[in-house]
């Protein structure tokens, strides 16, 4: 990683620490319910010099104050990973932690999301998590309100789309002066993910190191069964379940118009289970279980700790942070692999290099749509394509609003030439995977 | 409060996908002992209590200190310095118990050394003993007691930014190892009778277009293999050239339209893609072979564990009924095919697997009879599971702590070889051994107080040197590490304890459920570089 840029980031942060410390002296101290020896385990790393510390590290008693009183961390997700992250950060001296999560608590969360109890089922995760931590760890001030400024962001998410969104957000906050990145606009993003016995942890300095989209191919592809299998030729119990989920549910609307399938609602799952069994019986397929109808896997509580260690390192400069990706697998013994993921030269999120699209003028718009969703480096979900035609902004196709989808659907079977697109034309694509529109340059092939 | 089965299923749903109901049952019947409820210890227990371990007992003679509460989620600050001198074991048990009412939490306010003095058999009641932040002498004493009682022992410590785990178990057998990327068991090189019949019942040339495009690739490969055999003296395609030629043969079988261009037949493409793995000769891996040749397999007595009885039974099957092969696994991957063809083919493999399993079952029965045990002592279900996993059996044997520490049997080669990378994890292991030495000499760890850091560096260096000398280890430990370990002051930062807690709990679950393969035998975590290593010491 670029240590020079990282040093500048540290320097700007240090100046800010001094400003804020001065401000604090005026405001008066906070009573954090301190007791003797409370921070002994951490002070070793903040007050003592050492041979492996970051080159800019200076032992002092102020670092602890920065962690306790000033450093603001945003934790995204209060589920399996989020609970662990909050505990780890709170016990590492961080007090100003903001947590964000849209979910409410379900019974199936209780076997690992240890900040929640049976009585909390149905309540918002972020609220309960904050209350528990604040109660257990005196002085800690976990909040669930957004704050305009964070020093570090940690993700405990279970969705790639959400990660990419966050990634895009932080990239959009970067400030460039005369083409040079202003280090103080960088907000480090620590990201961890697990599934069963596998996981990874990574450190991202947006604009400096590989971002989420640079390494999109590393994320395992979702298993998608071909439609003909699901619709008419099921062989496995999984095919039957997918049939019920994807085709039967929208057709029969068992719980009312517009009511989507909620994987956490036992009544919904019971319906899916029953219908899956009927479908399976039709084709003499065995093996439908209640568990199969639900889907996800469990998470293990290891990678989040590695993430929290990185937050501590970055906030305290105690050590050079992970550079920058750690993979973990404990199916057979314990195995880790740590490497530096490289920035992709033409990354659609962070490279600022215009993206190219090569199509023949007779290619249909559908082909462009397919490329945007299927290409391994783009993996968009439901892209909306617009172009400037004859001086006006025209939506070529948009999926997410039903009325516009209907209106623009015929465009999919039209050729690019028919739609009036020209060679070298810019197409603007919006998608849930990125907060900023991605610009593509369309080049016609013969 | 006893939870109903349905509500427990709901709560434990996510983990049941990993280790199943039978794994969960093992977990719920287990009683784990934790020695020392420091942060590392409570983090390990948290990850065992949440998934519903049957019971835990904390053994800890310490009182709660301010420092303890500062890094431990399961100690609260109203337990420091209470009038009755609050014991750490009790304080931690209360907050851990609260996580899951299905679990039974107990504590013993006693140091492990006292227990070893007065009542070493105390430890015999546990499924697994986890020792955290133990001084070397206690560790070795306990190790010896548990080794002789054949109880698995997991040693864990967090020392500054270093995590350490040592598994000590004489012999741990695993039936369900759940390997990543296991090869399928298709028997295309030696199809059994029923499979042959099924293959023969297909007439690729004579069938209609729809059937042709929906014939399972296994059948396609088998058919073309027949063709190949007739032209190649019944030899499998062996090298790259032959496999490519075989793939071409299949490709020529793709239907063509009136213009002569090949149709889109995905099943044929699947067949071509799978040629390389499908033609792997059916054979028993060397790992499983070793297990068959194990001592326990030869001498079946009434004390022989079920694993070895079943291994022996399968061995008999291999030699007498299987023609040198394991029982058929019975599963096939999904593939493009119409439902009927696929299910018929799947049933062929399933039924053969059931047949083979029942032959193995007969062997099990006669073995049990020969040692006077009832045949019900090993269930049909267990035998079926064993047969299905026969290709993936694993046995883990760890060396004892005595062997690791003794000058005669120390693993010099491993240590010396790994020290070739002077900044790898092995140097951290040597440093941990050295600080233990320091503790023995000075009754404290180096650098606990700021003023001690400088002067302890030279003292610690002497310990390093004496360690290397004693074991005749011709390696060099850089001064930087000696300095760093003084800097740590034997601290236990929470994030490192938490990482270790997660790892240790997973290994404990592997031992208890007998699923997935535990590590063998020393694991080091370096939180500075976020790297790990496993050594066999």
């Amino acid at each position: 990683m670029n240590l020079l840029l990282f040093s500048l980031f540290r320097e700007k942060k240090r100046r800010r620490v001094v400003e804020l410390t001065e401000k604090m002296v005026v405001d008066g101290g906070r009573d954090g319910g301190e007791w003797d020896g409370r921070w002994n385990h951490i002070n070793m790393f903040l007050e003592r010099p050492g041979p492996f510390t970051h080159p800019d590290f200076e032992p002092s008693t102020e670092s602890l104050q920065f962690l306790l009183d000033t450093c603001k961390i945003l934790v995204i997700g209060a589920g399996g990973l989020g609970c662990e992250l909050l505990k780890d950060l709170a016990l590492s001296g961080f007090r100003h932690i903001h947590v964000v999560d849209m979910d409410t608590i379900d019974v199936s969360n209780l076997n690992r999301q240890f900040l929640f109890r049976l009585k909390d089922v149905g309540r918002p995760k972020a609220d309960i998590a904050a209350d528990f931590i604040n109660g257990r760890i005196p002085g800690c001030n976990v909040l669930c309100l957004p704050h305009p400024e964070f020093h570090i962001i940690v993700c405990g998410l279970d969705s790639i789309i959400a990660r990419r969104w966050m990634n895009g957000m932080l990239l959009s906050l970067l400030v460039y002066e005369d083409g040079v990145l202003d280090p103080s606009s960088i907000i480090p993003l620590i990201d961890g993910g697990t599934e069963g016995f596998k996981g990874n942890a990574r450190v991202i300095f947006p604009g400096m190191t590989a971002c989420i989209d640079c390494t999109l191919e590393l994320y395992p592809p979702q298993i998608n069964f071909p439609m003909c299998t699901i619709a008419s030729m099921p062989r496995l119990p999984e095919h039957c379940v997918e049939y019920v989920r994807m085709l039967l549910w929208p057709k029969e609307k068992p719980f009312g118009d517009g009511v989507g399938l909620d994987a956490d609602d036992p009544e919904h799952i019971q319906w899916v289970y029953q219908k899956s069994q009927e479908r399976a019986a039709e084709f003499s397929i065995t093996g439908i279980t209640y568990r199969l109808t639900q889907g996800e896997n469990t998470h293990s509580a290891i990678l989040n700790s590695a993430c929290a260690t990185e937050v501590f390192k970055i906030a305290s400069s105690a050590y050079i942070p992970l550079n920058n990706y750690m993979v973990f697998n404990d199916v057979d013994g314990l195995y880790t692999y740590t490497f530096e993921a490289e920035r992709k030269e033409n990354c659609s999120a962070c490279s600022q290099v215009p993206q190219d699209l090569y199509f023949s003028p007779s290619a249909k718009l559908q082909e462009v749509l397919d490329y945007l969703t299927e290409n391994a480096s783009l993996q968009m979900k439901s892209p909306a394509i617009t172009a400037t035609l004859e001086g006006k902004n025209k939506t070529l196709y948009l999926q997410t609003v039903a009325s516009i989808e209907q209106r623009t659907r015929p465009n999919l079977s039209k050729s690019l030439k028919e739609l009036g697109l020209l060679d070298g034309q810019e197409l603007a694509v919006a998608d849930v995977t990125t907060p900023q529109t991605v610009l593509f340059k369309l080049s016609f092939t013969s | 409060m006893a939870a109903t089965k349905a509500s427990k299923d709901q709560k434990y749903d996510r983990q049941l996908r990993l280790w199943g109901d039978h794994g969960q049952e093992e977990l719920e019947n287990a009683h784990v002992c934790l020695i020392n409820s420091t942060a590392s210890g409570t983090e390990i227990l948290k990850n065992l209590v949440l998934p519903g371990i049957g019971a835990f007992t904390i053994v800890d003679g310490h009182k709660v200190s301010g420092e303890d509460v500062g890094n431990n989620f399961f100690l609260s600050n109203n337990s420091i310095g209470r009038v009755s001198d609050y014991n750490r074991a009790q304080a931690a048990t209360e907050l851990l118990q609260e996580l899951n009412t299905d679990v039974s939490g107990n504590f013993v306010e006693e140091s492990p050394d006292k227990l070893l003095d007065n009542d070493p058999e105390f430890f015999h009641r546990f499924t697994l003993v986890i020792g955290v932040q133990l001084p070397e002498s206690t560790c070795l004493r306990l190790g010896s007691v548990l080794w002789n009682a054949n109880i698995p022992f997991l040693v864990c410590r967090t020392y500054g930014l270093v995590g350490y785990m040592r598994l000590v178990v004489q012999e741990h057998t695993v039936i369900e190892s759940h390997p990543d990327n296991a090869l399928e068991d298709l028997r295309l090189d030696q199809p059994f009778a029923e499979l042959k019949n099924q293959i023969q019942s297909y007439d690729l040339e004579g069938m209609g277009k729809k059937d042709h495009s929906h014939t399972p690739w296994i059948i396609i490969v088998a058919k073309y293999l027949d063709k190949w055999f007739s032209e190649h003296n019944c030899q499998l395609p062996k090298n790259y050239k032959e496999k490519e030629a075989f793939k071409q043969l299949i490709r020529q079988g793709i239907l063509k339209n009136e213009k002569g261009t090949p149709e889109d037949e995905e099943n044929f493409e699947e067949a071509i893609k799978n040629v390389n793995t499908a033609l792997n000769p059916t054979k028993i891996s060397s790992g499983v072979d070793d297990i068959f040749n194990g001592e326990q397999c030869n001498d079946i007595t009434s004390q022989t564990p079920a694993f070895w009885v079943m291994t022996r039974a399968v061995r008999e099957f291999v030699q007498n009924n299987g023609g040198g092969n394991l029982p058929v696994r019975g599963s096939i991957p999904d593939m493009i095919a119409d439902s009927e063809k696929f299910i018929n083919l799947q049933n062929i493999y399933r039924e053969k697997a059931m047949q083979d399993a029942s032959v193995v079952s007969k062997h099990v029965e006669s073995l049990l009879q020969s040692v006077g045990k009832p045949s019900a002592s090993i269930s049909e279900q267990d035998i079926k599971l064993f047969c299905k996993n026969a290709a993936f059996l694993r046995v883990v044997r760890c060396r004892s702590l005595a062997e690791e520490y003794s000058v005669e049997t120390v693993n010099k080669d491993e240590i010396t070889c790994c020290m070739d990378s002077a900044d790898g994890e092995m140097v951290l292991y040597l440093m941990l051994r050295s600080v233990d030495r320091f503790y023995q000499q000075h009754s404290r760890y180096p650098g606990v107080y700021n003023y001690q850091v400088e002067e302890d560096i030279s003292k610690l260096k002497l310990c390093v040197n004496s360690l290397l000398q004693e074991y005749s280890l011709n390696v060099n430990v850089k001064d930087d590490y000696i300095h760093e370990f003084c800097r740590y002051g034997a601290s236990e930062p929470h994030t490192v304890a938490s990482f270790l807690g997660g790892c240790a709990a997973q290994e404990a679950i592997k031992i208890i459920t007998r699923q997935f393969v535990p590590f063998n035998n020393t694991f080091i975590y370096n939180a500075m570089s976020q790297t790990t290593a496993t050594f066999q010491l």
Side-chain angles (χ1 to χ4, degrees):
Chain A
M1 86 156 64
N2 189 331
L3 270 185
L4 173 64
L5 260 182
F6 183 61
S7 300
L8 288 173
F9 160 77
R10 302 233 49 73
E11 183 49 40
K12 299 230 172 178
K13 198 211 77 181
R14 191 201 312 283
R15 286 200 211 128
R16 189 140 167 68
V17 171
V18 172
E19 283 163 24
L20 290 162
T21 316
E22 284 165 357
K23 182 167 182 281
M24 261 160 40
V25 168
V26 171
D27 288 350
R30 279 185 85 247
D31 173 24
E34 292 304 319
W35 57 83
D36 241 2
R38 181 176 188 183
W39 302 112
N40 279 0
H41 291 285
I42 298 174
N43 276 330
M44 312 291 179
F45 302 98
L46 302 175
E47 292 177 4
R48 300 174 174 193
F52 297 110
T53 57
H54 190 281
D56 287 349
F57 174 67
E58 272 165 32
S60 91
T61 46
E62 275 165 29
S63 292
L64 180 62
Q65 290 310 121
F66 172 69
L67 297 186
L68 289 173
D69 300 326
T70 313
C71 190
K72 287 183 182 50
I73 311 286
L74 171 64
V75 175
I76 306 186
L81 289 166
C83 285
E84 298 280 348
L85 282 167
L86 290 172
K87 159 184 73 76
D88 289 352
L89 293 170
L91 286 172
S92 300
F94 296 96
R95 284 187 159 160
H96 296 282
I97 307 171
H98 290 248
V99 62
V100 178
D101 194 314
M102 298 305 184
D103 258 350
T104 52
I105 299 164
D106 176 71
V107 171
S108 68
N109 299 146
L110 300 180
N111 79 326
R112 70 209 174 284
Q113 296 171 26
F114 58 91
L115 301 178
F116 312 140
R117 300 289 176 272
L118 196 57
K119 63 175 170 50
D120 301 321
V121 171
R123 308 265 318 273
K125 286 189 181 180
D127 290 355
I128 305 297
D131 286 344
F132 197 114
I133 296 281
N134 293 339
R136 182 62 65 88
I137 298 167
C140 197
N141 189 23
V142 180
L143 294 172
C144 357
L145 305 166
H147 186 279
E149 237 180 62
F150 289 100
H151 292 92
I152 302 173
I153 300 185
V154 205
C155 282
L157 295 165
D158 58 5
S159 131
I160 297 172
I161 294 178
R163 281 185 174 86
R164 292 177 69 185
W165 180 268
M166 198 62 231
N167 183 63
M169 255 336 271
L170 295 181
L171 288 167
S172 71
L173 294 176
L174 294 177
V175 173
Y176 289 84
E177 288 160 18
D178 294 325
V180 176
L181 178 56
D182 172 10
S184 68
S185 65
I186 300 174
I187 302 178
L189 172 66
I190 321 284
D191 179 57
T194 67
E195 193 177 326
F197 282 69
K198 304 183 190 174
N200 61 69
R202 61 190 303 182
V203 172
I204 297 173
F205 284 89
M208 272 170 59
T209 63
C211 77
I212 301 273
D213 280 48
C214 290
T215 55
L216 207 50
E217 296 94 45
L218 285 180
Y219 288 101
Q222 318 288 59
I223 301 177
N224 288 317
F225 303 118
M227 195 41 92
C228 56
T229 300
I230 298 182
S232 52
M233 249 180 287
R235 298 174 294 269
L236 302 179
E238 286 85 345
H239 301 156
C240 301
V241 176
E242 279 310 285
Y243 169 81
V244 175
R245 272 213 204 109
M246 289 175 62
L247 298 176
L248 205 58
W249 181 285
K251 191 165 132 199
E252 293 193 14
K253 305 188 200 190
F255 291 87
D257 248 325
V259 176
L261 172 55
D262 179 1
D264 287 326
D265 185 336
E267 272 183 63
H268 289 202
I269 296 299
Q270 186 60 39
W271 187 89
V272 173
Y273 178 47
Q274 229 167 291
K275 292 293 175 183
S276 302
Q277 280 179 315
E278 286 167 30
R279 173 86 172 158
E282 237 185 281
F283 291 87
S284 311
I285 297 172
T286 57
I288 300 277
T289 59
Y290 188 84
R291 204 164 295 153
L292 196 67
T293 59
Q294 285 172 300
E296 296 164 39
N297 233 333
T298 193
H299 296 132
S300 64
I302 298 173
L303 277 312
N304 55 276
S305 310
C307 290
T309 300
E310 291 308 308
V311 175
F312 180 79
K313 284 184 195 169
I314 293 172
S316 66
S317 318
Y319 291 87
I320 297 175
L322 166 65
N323 183 19
N324 55 40
Y325 202 115
M326 176 199 200
V327 172
F328 178 93
N329 181 334
D330 65 345
V331 165
D332 185 343
L334 301 109
Y335 169 79
T336 62
Y337 175 60
T338 307
F339 66 102
E340 183 178 345
E342 284 174 358
R343 286 186 77 177
K344 209 198 240 175
E345 266 172 23
N346 60 342
C347 175
S348 57
C350 77
S351 71
Q352 305 190 300
V353 164
Q355 303 292 301
D356 286 314
L357 285 176
Y358 297 103
F359 285 95
S360 140
S362 58
K364 308 275 187 281
L365 186 63
Q366 179 72 57
E367 286 173 55
V368 177
L369 194 72
D370 289 341
Y371 175 78
L372 292 173
T373 52
E374 288 165 16
N375 178 276
S377 330
L378 294 173
Q379 290 189 47
M380 293 193 167
K381 286 288 162 267
S382 42
I385 310 172
T386 58
T388 310
L389 293 168
E390 288 154 12
K392 280 188 270 188
N393 211 12
K394 188 172 169 197
T395 302
L396 296 174
Y397 182 67
L398 188 145
Q399 221 174 318
T400 48
V401 178
S403 57
I404 304 181
E405 199 280 327
Q406 256 187 338
R407 182 169 59 76
T408 55
R409 199 185 309 155
N411 288 342
L412 290 177
S413 36
K414 294 200 183 137
S415 75
L416 303 180
K417 191 163 165 218
E418 270 180 84
L419 290 167
L421 297 172
L422 304 168
D423 188 29
Q425 172 113 39
E426 232 175 36
L427 295 178
V429 180
D431 185 54
V432 68
T433 52
T434 162
Q436 285 180 300
T437 313
V438 183
L439 290 175
F440 288 87
K441 190 172 109 170
L442 179 61
S443 298
F444 281 153
T445 58
S446 46
Chain B
M1 168 185 66
T4 63
K5 172 102 189 7
S7 68
K8 271 216 273 188
D9 268 0
Q10 243 194 322
K11 180 162 79 163
Y12 297 140
D13 170 73
R14 298 299 192 264
Q15 74 210 37
L16 290 170
R17 291 153 205 276
L18 283 184
W19 53 71
D21 292 304
H22 53 299
Q24 186 64 27
E25 208 184 307
E26 298 286 355
L27 207 57
E28 290 177 18
N29 290 332
H31 187 173
V32 170
C33 175
L34 169 72
I35 305 178
N36 284 334
S37 43
T38 67
S40 308
T42 55
E43 287 300 305
I44 299 172
L45 272 192
K46 155 181 143 292
N47 295 319
L48 293 175
V49 167
L50 285 172
I53 194 112
F56 67 86
T57 297
I58 299 181
V59 168
D60 194 343
H62 296 90
K63 304 279 175 248
V64 180
S65 71
E67 188 175 273
D68 285 333
V69 181
N71 77 344
N72 194 327
F73 193 75
F74 298 95
L75 295 174
S76 72
N77 63 331
N78 44 17
S79 31
I80 312 171
R82 273 177 25 174
V83 177
S84 51
D85 261 19
Y86 212 6
N87 172 269
R88 199 166 64 177
Q90 181 174 9
T93 300
E94 281 169 13
L95 288 181
L96 282 165
Q97 170 78 86
E98 189 266 329
L99 282 175
N100 189 346
T101 47
D102 295 336
V103 176
S104 158
N106 314 282
F107 63 92
V108 172
E109 290 178 32
E110 191 62 271
S111 81
D113 278 306
K114 278 263 170 56
L115 282 173
L116 285 167
D117 288 336
N118 303 327
D119 180 22
E121 299 199 1
F122 166 80
F123 295 102
H124 289 192
R125 76 197 66 186
F126 299 113
T127 319
L128 166 72
V129 174
I130 304 175
V132 164
Q133 314 293 77
L134 292 175
E136 184 178 300
S137 55
T138 315
C139 201
L140 293 174
R141 281 183 79 193
L142 189 53
S144 163
V145 165
L146 295 174
W147 182 267
N148 293 330
N150 213 358
I151 295 178
F153 181 30
L154 183 61
V155 182
C156 299
R157 71 198 289 198
T158 299
Y159 200 98
L161 291 187
V162 176
Y164 163 87
M165 286 200 296
R166 170 61 153 101
L167 178 64
V168 192
V169 62
Q170 280 190 39
E171 178 184 279
H172 177 78
T173 58
V174 183
I175 299 170
E176 290 177 275
S177 57
H178 302 289
D180 270 338
N181 305 322
L183 287 176
E184 302 284 346
D185 183 26
L186 301 177
R187 305 291 167 114
L188 284 172
D189 59 331
Q190 344 173 358
F192 45 92
E194 297 84 343
L195 180 58
K196 261 202 199 121
N197 289 343
Q198 171 88 169
I199 295 167
Q200 262 157 26
S201 74
Y202 280 83
D203 174 19
L204 284 178
E205 275 85 31
M207 35 166 85
K209 182 163 179 277
K210 187 140 190 250
D211 281 328
H212 197 263
S213 307
H214 290 92
T215 297
W217 70 254
I218 290 178
I219 301 286
I220 297 175
V221 171
K223 283 292 202 188
Y224 281 93
L225 201 55
D226 275 340
K227 270 212 182 86
W228 178 275
F229 275 167
S230 63
E231 292 162 21
H232 289 82
N233 198 19
C234 292
Q235 295 290 322
L236 280 173
K238 280 190 209 48
N239 50 39
Y240 175 78
K241 201 165 147 206
E242 288 185 357
K243 285 187 183 173
E244 287 301 304
F246 183 67
K247 287 181 190 173
Q248 260 309 104
L249 194 64
I250 298 178
R251 188 167 287 289
Q252 281 162 23
I254 296 179
L255 286 180
K256 296 186 179 52
N257 63 16
E258 318 82 45
K259 298 200 197 127
T261 31
E263 301 272 23
D264 193 11
E265 295 205 283
E266 269 186 76
N267 56 336
F268 272 75
E269 296 297 342
E270 270 189 336
I272 292 165
K273 204 171 79 170
N274 281 290
V275 159
N276 288 336
T277 47
L279 298 185
N280 276 339
T282 306
K283 74 171 204 250
I284 301 178
S285 75
S286 59
V288 174
D289 230 2
D290 285 341
I291 295 176
F292 281 159
N293 295 328
E295 241 181 77
Q296 298 86 328
C297 204
N298 290 326
D299 270 315
I300 305 293
T301 70
S302 58
Q303 306 302 320
T304 306
F307 177 89
W308 291 110
V309 175
M310 289 190 281
T311 303
R312 171 64 172 272
V314 170
R315 193 178 85 183
E316 312 258 315
F317 173 92
V318 169
Q319 285 161 358
N320 304 322
N321 320 90
N325 291 324
L326 294 170
V328 166
R329 196 177 311 156
S331 60
I332 59 173
D334 189 25
M335 59 193 73
I336 302 288
D338 62 53
S339 314
E340 198 185 317
K341 292 191 180 60
F342 179 81
I343 291 172
N344 283 342
L345 185 60
Q346 191 181 55
N347 285 339
I348 297 283
Y349 281 91
R350 277 192 182 160
E351 274 150 25
K352 179 68 170 141
M354 282 199 318
Q355 266 176 43
D356 285 357
S358 67
V359 174
V360 170
S361 201
K362 297 244 162 25
H363 286 298
V364 170
E365 211 181 295
S366 72
L367 283 167
L368 288 173
Q369 260 175 25
S370 72
V371 293
K373 290 189 85 174
S375 41
S377 45
I378 299 181
S379 72
E380 287 301 317
Q381 212 186 16
D382 285 345
I383 296 171
K384 280 209 180 93
L385 189 66
F386 193 90
C387 289
K388 200 168 120 183
N389 286 280
F392 311 126
L393 303 174
R394 297 282 295 271
V395 179
V396 173
R397 294 186 183 95
C398 303
R399 297 209 317 159
S400 68
L401 289 175
E403 287 173 287
E404 175 186 344
Y405 280 67
S406 147
V407 172
E408 279 90 47
T409 50
V410 63
N411 194 345
K412 266 180 77 166
D413 285 343
E414 177 93 336
I415 298 176
T416 318
C417 184
C418 292
M419 280 301 285
D420 275 345
S421 36
D423 296 300
E425 279 69 40
M426 184 54 86
V427 69
L428 303 175
Y429 167 76
L430 293 176
M431 284 315 305
L432 288 173
R433 293 288 304 269
S434 304
V435 299
D436 279 343
R437 231 151 238 245
F438 189 102
Y439 185 84
Q440 268 170 359
Q441 280 173 30
H442 306 274
S443 300
R444 64 178 178 82
Y445 287 105
V448 174
Y449 295 102
N450 283 350
Y451 74 85
Q452 291 171 330
V453 180
E454 277 304 314
E455 60 189 55
D456 282 350
I457 293 177
S458 44
K459 292 194 185 119
L460 183 56
K461 186 155 185 173
L462 289 175
C463 295
V464 173
N465 290 337
S466 90
L467 177 80
L468 298 180
Q469 227 174 34
E470 183 178 323
Y471 289 101
S472 315
L473 289 167
N474 194 8
V475 300
N476 180 40
V477 173
K478 287 190 195 165
D479 280 347
D480 279 347
Y481 290 99
I482 302 176
H483 181 178
E484 183 75 355
F485 269 68
C486 281
R487 179 178 189 241
Y488 288 159
S491 63
E492 196 181 0
H494 183 83
T495 60
V496 183
S498 180
F499 185 96
L500 196 68
C503 294
Q506 300 254 99
E507 297 308 301
I509 290 174
K510 288 181 191 176
I511 300 279
I512 295 167
T513 59
R514 290 187 176 274
Q515 296 186 37
F516 302 91
V517 183
F519 73 108
N520 186 0
N521 56 37
T522 300
F523 172 80
I524 305 270
Y525 167 58
N526 180 347
M528 291 187 281
S529 56
Q530 300 285 20
T531 52
T532 67
T534 302
F535 307 120
Q536 211 165 342
L537 297 175

